[in-house]
Structure formats: structure tokens, C-alpha cells
């Protein structure tokens, strides 16, 4: 089935490959400094099994004039508010987030009313909320993070793109630095944790820490790749995501 042309939904979402008849929406949350376009290859590869709704964070791309919320809690509140009209009983939804986006995806799922939470949250390249530290914000500068994520090669030929990428990373690192974990009841959504085998920023043995944050099914996997699995030049874990979505709201992994 050929995908229709990309379109935006309000300020917050890009649909790179709209699939209006697909029963499930996969909301994707980009890494620090990332934009919705990072999920274009994933959206095309998943069609027609799922319709990707990619988050368009402020302060970059088509929203370069929109200010980023002052702190992580305010960002969660803003994203949850934007998502709420597109969720609810009878609408299948799942979240996929990478690195900073993984933490954001989980905290947004937790902030939503119980009847609007996604059936599945897939987190990639991130420690669990209880293990989250400020390392990315304190010990890494934006240029080093650009290198470690593997994105430096994509933009290094264009100084303007480099500056745009660094600006987005700095913005998100500042927000990330305000995150504070507070113990809470686990969400009921199924949760699946991923890591790239060559990720220089995450100990892949720590994925099981996410298990304590769900009351539903939990699974985890280390797969080929680095810190970012889905980027503007590769679709990421397409087969795994398709399999997880096909399992339905009560998977048995």
C-alpha cells in the first residue's frame, strides 16, 4: 500500500507516512537534539502495519521559534496535553522513544489518564527512570554527544547543520538536567527495553531495571546498533516493533 504524503497534526506531530486505515498509532519521541524527521524511514518501513506520529519538539526544525518548556516536568505536561485528544478507548496506541525521548515517552505515559495510556511503551538507549542520572547534562557537552550518537557524520559537511544540531542538543540537555526521579506506582502499559550492542553510553546489562516500572508485560533485548537505532538514514528496529505491535494489548513475551 503506497503511503500518502507527509502531513503535520497541529504543532506537535508529524505523520511522515500517513496510514488512515491502520488500527494502531505509534507515537515516536526523538533523542536529545532530534526532530520528528528522524522517524521518516521508520514510518515508511512500518507502513501499513502502523501509523507513525513523530513528536515535533519546540526550538528546532519547523518549530524553531517556539520556546522549549522551562523544565522536564513542564515538557511532559505539554506533550501529554497535545497527545490527549488523539488517545482513548478504542484507539490502539504505542510509544517508542530513544535516549532522552525514551525517558520522555515513559513519563508522558505515566502523566496521562489511565484510560488514555498507550498499550505499549518501547524505550531504547536509556537507563530506567530510577537509574537516570544527569551524566548527559553535566559530563558531556553537546559536541561530544553529537559524536557519541553517531550523528556527527551526517551533518559535519554542512557547518549550518552542525550548529543547528548542537543548538537542539544544548536545549534538550538543559531540560534533561531538571529531571528528578520520584518513586511512583508502575504504569499498566506493557514495557519493552532496547539497547544497541555497540552503544557507548549505556550498559546493556542494565535494561532489566525498567521491569520495576510496569505492572504489565516486560521484555528486553540487545540488538545490533549504537546509541540511536532509528535515524534519518536508517529505520531502526522495524521487525521487532511490528512484532510487538502485532502481539496486541496483552502480550506474553
Amino acid at each position: 500500500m503506497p503511503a500518502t504524503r507527509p502531513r503535520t497534526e497541529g504543532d506537535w506531530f508529524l505523520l511522515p507516512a500517513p496510514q488512515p486505515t491502520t488500527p494502531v498509532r505509534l507515537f515516536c519521541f526523538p533523542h536529545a537534539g532530534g526532530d520528528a524527521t528522524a522517524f521518516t524511514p521508520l514510518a515508511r518501513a512500518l507502513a501499513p502495519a502502523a501509523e507513525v506520529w513523530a513528536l515535533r519538539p519546540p526550538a528546532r526544525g519547523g518549530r524553531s521559534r517556539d520556546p522549549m518548556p522551562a523544565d522536564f516536568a513542564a515538557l511532559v505536561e505539554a506533550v501529554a496535553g497535545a497527545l490527549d485528544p488523539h488517545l482513548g478507548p478504542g484507539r490502539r496506541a504505542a510509544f517508542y522513544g530513544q535516549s532522552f525521548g525514551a525517558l520522555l515517552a515513559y513519563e508522558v505515559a505515566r502523566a496521562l489518564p489511565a484510560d488514555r495510556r498507550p498499550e505499549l511503551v518501547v524505550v531504547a538507549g536509556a537507563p530506567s527512570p530510577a537509574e537516570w542520572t544527569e551524566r548527559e547534562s553535566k559530563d558531556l557537552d553537546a559536541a561530544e554527544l553529537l559524536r557519541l550518537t553517531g550523528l556527527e557524520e551526517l551533518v559535519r559537511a554542512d557547518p549550518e547543520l552542525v550548529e543547528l544540531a548542537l543548538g537542539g542538543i544544548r536545549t534538550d540537555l538543559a531540560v534533561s538536567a531538571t529531571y528528578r526521579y520520584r518513586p511512583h506506582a508502575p504504569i499498566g502499559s506493557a514495557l519493552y527495553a532496547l539497547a544497541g550492542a555497540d552503544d557507548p553510553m549505556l550498559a546493556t546489562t542494565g535494561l532489566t531495571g525498567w521491569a520495576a516500572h510496569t505492572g504489565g508485560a516486560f521484555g528486553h533485548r540487545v540488538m545490533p546498533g549504537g546509541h540511536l537505532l532509528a535515524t534519518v538514514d536508517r529505520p531502526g528496529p522495524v521487525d521487532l516493533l511490528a512484532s510487538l505491535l502485532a502481539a496486541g494489548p496483552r502480550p506474553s513475551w
Side-chain angles (χ1 to χ4, degrees):
M1 179 188 300
T4 56
R5 297 179 65 180
R7 68 176 179 86
T8 56
E9 181 70 31
D11 290 334
W12 283 94
F13 302 105
L14 169 70
L15 282 66
Q19 304 292 312
T21 62
T22 296
V24 59
R25 292 171 177 172
L26 179 65
F27 293 89
C28 294
F29 297 70
H31 56 277
D35 197 7
T37 53
F39 298 109
T40 296
L42 174 64
R44 292 172 177 166
L46 269 179
E51 182 179 60
V52 167
W53 287 50
L55 187 72
R56 302 175 67 223
R60 76 211 65 199
R63 300 191 64 195
S64 59
R65 296 184 179 180
D66 297 339
M68 174 65 79
D71 56 37
F72 194 91
L75 178 60
V76 168
E77 182 179 4
V79 175
L83 271 166
D84 188 78
H86 307 295
L87 302 168
R91 292 182 177 178
R92 291 191 62 204
F95 290 179
Y96 172 74
Q98 300 188 138
S99 191
F100 171 81
L103 181 68
L104 181 60
Y106 174 80
E107 290 293 349
V108 168
R110 194 169 71 83
L112 288 165
D115 65 347
R116 279 175 159 69
R117 286 176 179 162
E119 63 185 50
L120 169 69
V121 179
V122 181
V123 292
S128 73
E131 299 165 316
W132 188 271
T133 70
E134 297 176 28
R135 179 179 185 275
E136 289 187 41
S137 306
K138 294 174 64 176
D139 299 336
L140 296 176
D141 63 20
E144 186 177 5
L145 187 55
L146 186 67
R147 178 181 63 81
L148 291 174
T149 55
L151 297 178
E152 185 179 40
E153 294 297 322
L154 294 177
V155 299
R156 69 187 309 170
D158 188 331
E160 184 176 351
L161 285 180
V162 171
E163 284 308 308
L164 287 173
L166 292 176
I169 292 173
R170 292 186 189 106
T171 296
D172 290 353
L173 288 181
V175 173
S176 174
T178 68
Y179 177 73
R180 297 294 181 270
Y181 170 72
R182 293 177 175 82
H184 54 264
I187 61 173
S189 307
L191 187 61
Y192 204 97
L194 296 176
D198 299 319
D199 187 344
M201 300 176 62
L202 179 71
T204 56
T205 54
L207 292 179
T208 54
W210 281 98
H213 297 277
T214 177
F218 174 74
H220 62 96
R221 180 180 298 184
V222 176
M223 58 193 312
H227 186 59
L228 302 179
L229 299 177
T231 67
V232 292
D233 67 339
R234 58 181 182 271
V238 177
D239 293 341
L240 176 61
L241 287 171
S243 175
L244 295 176
L245 294 172
R250 295 179 178 83
S252 55
W253 300 319

